[in-house]
């Protein structure tokens, strides 16, 4: 497994080439859609491996809290079902529509909402996929900068979460995140 670790203040950020459904952090983050009822990409993989319990919990959340769907940038939490991770945090990243429709603010918000939920649950380790860069078409270069900058800022404000992993599914995406991280963390 390709892996690169950065130490930021008292915490660690890891970039990993792999499958997020295999991660044993306290929580993994799902790049969900607002229906919360499953989809393709990482969403489909999480529900497939985690089993029906996750979907049942998502349906309850929809019914009681978000009858019109989870707004972009917000996050909710369920158990991890059969996954190694105890929890799944479901967040909705923005669909890329050229860059002038609040995409960067909403992508940042998706990372922050997820991390704030992890804090509320007193979790200490969280894995993220590259939110929005699949079906939602966000350019990976820009997304990597926002994701890494947001996590860096988070580590400067909070020390309770000690490990954040970004799990990249392709060598190409991994390399883009790697070069952005070298620029942001090793200056
Ligand atoms: P979005 O709709 O937010 O773009 P996608 O699931 O389509 O979400 O894609 C987000 C990123 O997750 C993409 O880079 C995609 O290649 C990646 N991905 C897909 N499956 C997995 C997986 N099992 N583990 C980690 N990343 C994955």
């Amino acid at each position: 497994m390709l892996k690169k670790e950065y130490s930021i203040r008292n915490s660690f950020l890891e970039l990993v080439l792999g499958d997020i459904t295999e991660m044993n952090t306290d929580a993994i983050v799902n790049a969900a859609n607002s229906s919360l009822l499953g989809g393709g990409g990482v969403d489909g993989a999480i529900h497939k491996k985690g089993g029906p319990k996750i979907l049942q919990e998502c349906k309850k959340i929809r019914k009681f809290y978000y009858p019109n769907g989870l707004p972009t940038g917000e996050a909710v939490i369920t158990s991890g079902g059969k996954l190694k991770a105890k929890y799944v945090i479901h967040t909705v990243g923005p669909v890329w529509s050229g860059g002038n429709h609040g995409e960067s603010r909403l992508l940042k918000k998706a990372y922050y909402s997820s991390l704030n939920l992890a804090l509320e649950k007193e979790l200490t380790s969280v894995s993220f996929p590259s939110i929005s860069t699949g079906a939602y078409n966000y350019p990976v270069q820009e997304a990597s900068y926002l994701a890494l900058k947001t996590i860096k800022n988070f580590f400067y404000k909070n020390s309770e979460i000690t490990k954040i992993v970004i799990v990249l599914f392709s060598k190409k995406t991994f390399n883009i995140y790697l070069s952005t991280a070298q620029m942001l963390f090793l200056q």
Side-chain angles (χ1 to χ4, degrees), residues 18-20 31 41-42 45 130 132-136 167 169:
D19 180 346
I20 199 167
V42 72
S130 175
S132 283
T133 63
Y136 284 1
V167 185
F169 208 46

Side-chain angles (χ1 to χ4, degrees), residues 90-124:
H90 307 259
T91 190
V92 183
V95 175
W96 180 258
S97 329
N100 293 319
H101 296 82
E103 292 95 330
S104 59
R105 180 184 61 81
L106 289 166
L107 186 58
K108 220 190 285 178
K109 191 173 174 195
Y111 281 94
Y112 261 113
S113 304
S114 303
L115 288 168
N116 284 331
L117 260 185
L119 273 184
E120 271 176 37
K121 286 271 176 190
E122 301 186 341
L123 310 183
T124 61

Side-chain angles (χ1 to χ4, degrees), residues 67-178:
N68 299 319
L70 184 67
T72 305
E74 304 282 335
V76 296
I77 191 164
T78 65
S79 74
K82 290 189 280 188
L83 296 168
K84 290 177 192 160
K86 202 165 170 215
Y87 296 97
V88 177
I89 294 170
H90 307 259
T91 190
V92 183
V95 175
W96 180 258
S97 329
N100 293 319
H101 296 82
E103 292 95 330
S104 59
R105 180 184 61 81
L106 289 166
L107 186 58
K108 220 190 285 178
K109 191 173 174 195
Y111 281 94
Y112 261 113
S113 304
S114 303
L115 288 168
N116 284 331
L117 260 185
L119 273 184
E120 271 176 37
K121 286 271 176 190
E122 301 186 341
L123 310 183
T124 61
S125 58
V126 181
S127 297
F128 281 92
S130 175
I131 299 171
S132 283
T133 63
Y136 284 1
N137 248 338
Y138 209 109
V140 180
Q141 179 80 53
E142 281 91 331
S144 67
Y145 180 79
L146 267 170
L148 294 167
K149 194 87 199 292
T150 304
I151 290 167
K152 183 180 180 180
N153 290 342
F154 181 84
F155 278 151
Y156 273 86
K157 288 194 215 123
N158 303 276
S159 51
E160 295 89 343
I161 295 177
T162 51
K163 185 165 110 168
I164 296 176
V165 186
I166 304 184
V167 185
L168 291 325
F169 208 46
S170 71
K171 188 86 193 289
K172 192 175 167 204
T173 313
F174 177 84
N175 283 332
I176 295 173
Y177 271 75
L178 192 62

